[in-house]
Amino acid sequence: MRAVIVAAAVAFIISLFGTPVAIRVFTALKAGQPIRSIGLASNQGKKGTPTMGGVVFIVATVFAYVAGHIALSTLPERQIAQEGPTMTALVLLGLFVFCGAVGFFDDFLKVLRRNSDGLSAKGKLLGQAIVGGGFGIAALYVPSTNGQTVASEHISLIRDISWLNVGKVGAVMVIVFVITAMSNGVNLTDGLDGLATGASILVLCAYALIGFWQYRHWCADDTYARVNDYCYQVRDPLEIAMIAAAAAAACVGFLWWNTSPARIFMGDVGSLGLGGLIGGLAVATRTTLLSIMIGGLFVIITTTWVIQIVSFRTTGRRVFRMVPLHHHFELAGWSEVNIVVRFWIVAGVCVAVGLGLFYSDFLAVVG
């Protein structure tokens, strides 16, 4: 537990004090956020605000993981946790960094061209698919010393569903879909000051709790497994908890500067990176289907975006005034702060329900 706290504390401090440095650097580099001319008039005042701030919390999380491992090496917990970087950490941090790299390239093109046209939609999806596929293969084909892999060949809800074995090739395809869907979901949510950051904090905190709970009831822990029939067949749950807690804390430090009125935006580097990490956490904790509820706000915003696109292309009519969904409420007269807070509430309710379902499964078995 202390290693998780150390990682979170280090991530928060680096992000809180590193973000102002990033603001000055990106301002000096004229890396301002381009705003679409067809967008809302209320957003035109945000033009020129430094972007690519996601670099800060990605770097903070990586350094925090290292600090957490240093703390872990001095604790009795190391007896059931690999002392060096695990494949779980390499997959999760790799998804965070490389999905962020796809977003960074997109942001860089926007800044370079001085408009909102970055990577094409196909280019962005291709980049996400390559990253998801590469780390999906690593998660399925590189076992630990006990033969366990980061991901599973089964579709999972709160644990693997035994009769839903899709094989390794099918599992890689599922991982690619989860990573791509979640990263685009966070990306679509990132449209108002602090909205995606706050929602991501809630989801990451949920996965920190899930990871730590799985660690305390881990099948690899002989002390627990000997006296309990119920345990979690996951790999390196303490690593999962440490990375999720560090990322959440780093986002809290970033939110200090990202809340309305934002002094810096996370950019696609931040939103795609966070989505990739959240998708990876769902795969590593064997909660792929449960992530639909835990990341409910991202799912709602993505679903409404799809509905709008399909409706307009098939009937020529719009279901919503504007998508993503938060812009619909802006046009309805809601203030930006009201939308953000209310959407945070929706995200919190989804996370609470998801955690409730996760814990109820445990009670149903041990009760």
Side-chain angles (χ1 to χ4, degrees):
M1 181 65 176
R2 282 176 286 177
V4 175
I5 294 173
V6 168
V10 170
F12 173 74
I13 291 170
I14 293 176
S15 186
L16 180 65
F17 295 103
T19 303
V21 177
I23 292 172
R24 290 193 291 271
V25 170
F26 289 134
T27 299
L29 294 174
K30 301 187 185 316
Q33 176 67 45
I35 304 294
R36 291 184 300 170
S37 58
I38 61 172
L40 292 166
S42 59
N43 289 337
Q44 295 304 313
K46 299 179 181 182
K47 187 175 182 180
T49 301
T51 187
M52 297 190 281
V55 170
V56 178
F57 54 72
I58 292 176
V59 170
T61 301
V62 173
F63 276 97
Y65 171 76
V66 174
H69 250 280
I70 292 173
L72 186 64
S73 66
T74 65
L75 300 175
E77 290 168 327
R78 70 183 184 276
Q79 295 172 1
I80 56 171
Q82 184 173 319
E83 293 192 17
T86 63
M87 180 52 63
T88 301
L90 293 176
V91 168
L92 293 179
L93 292 177
L95 286 169
F96 202 13
V97 172
F98 284 94
C99 283
V102 174
F104 182 87
F105 187 54
D106 185 42
D107 288 331
F108 178 77
L109 289 179
K110 292 176 183 177
V111 171
L112 186 66
R113 296 169 180 171
R114 303 298 179 189
N115 60 44
S116 58
D117 297 326
L119 279 173
S120 66
K122 290 182 180 179
K124 193 181 295 186
L125 285 172
L126 178 61
Q128 293 166 317
I130 291 173
V131 173
F135 285 99
I137 291 171
L140 277 162
Y141 286 86
V142 183
S144 62
T145 52
N146 64 3
Q148 193 170 20
T149 55
V150 177
S152 168
E153 296 179 28
H154 295 78
I155 303 296
S156 59
L157 176 59
I158 297 172
R159 60 187 64 252
D160 286 341
I161 302 173
S162 59
W163 53 272
L164 274 180
N165 189 323
V166 295
K168 288 190 175 182
V169 174
V172 171
M173 294 174 65
V174 170
I175 292 171
V176 170
F177 176 78
V178 171
I179 299 303
T180 303
M182 196 61 75
S183 56
N184 281 303
V186 179
N187 185 239
L188 287 172
T189 305
D190 182 33
L192 299 179
D193 296 351
L195 176 56
T197 308
S200 296
I201 289 168
L202 293 169
V203 174
L204 290 167
C205 284
Y207 274 111
L209 290 172
I210 288 172
F212 191 74
W213 184 262
Q214 290 178 333
Y215 168 67
R216 300 302 297 177
H217 306 85
W218 191 19
C219 294
D221 183 353
D222 291 337
T223 304
Y224 179 83
R226 278 199 303 268
V227 296
N228 294 277
D229 295 328
Y230 185 94
C231 59
Y232 293 97
Q233 286 283 1
V234 296
R235 177 173 169 176
D236 311 312
L238 187 60
E239 297 276 278
I240 294 170
M242 192 187 306
I243 291 170
C251 286
V252 171
F254 180 76
L255 183 61
W256 182 271
W257 307 99
N258 181 235
T259 192
S260 184
R263 293 186 55 188
I264 188 170
F265 300 137
M266 69 166 66
D268 282 6
V269 59
S271 59
L272 295 186
L274 284 171
L277 174 60
I278 291 170
L281 289 168
V283 170
T285 56
R286 310 292 201 268
T287 58
T288 304
L289 295 178
L290 187 64
S291 67
I292 297 173
M293 176 55 67
I294 294 176
L297 178 65
F298 306 137
V299 174
I300 291 169
I301 289 176
T302 303
T303 302
T304 53
W305 181 83
V306 172
I307 290 171
Q308 181 87 325
I309 298 299
V310 172
S311 176
F312 187 75
R313 289 183 178 177
T314 56
T315 69
R317 296 180 179 179
R318 292 181 172 86
V319 178
F320 306 97
R321 291 181 174 94
M322 189 176 181
V323 290
L325 187 60
H326 36 274
H327 295 319
H328 166 84
F329 289 104
E330 278 192 288
L331 290 174
W334 292 22
S335 71
E336 180 172 0
V337 173
N338 277 342
I339 297 169
V340 170
V341 172
R342 287 168 181 171
F343 275 40
W344 283 352
I345 292 171
V346 172
V349 170
C350 291
V351 164
V353 172
L355 287 175
L357 292 172
F358 178 82
Y359 187 58
S360 65
D361 174 75
F362 179 82
L363 291 180
V365 176
V366 301

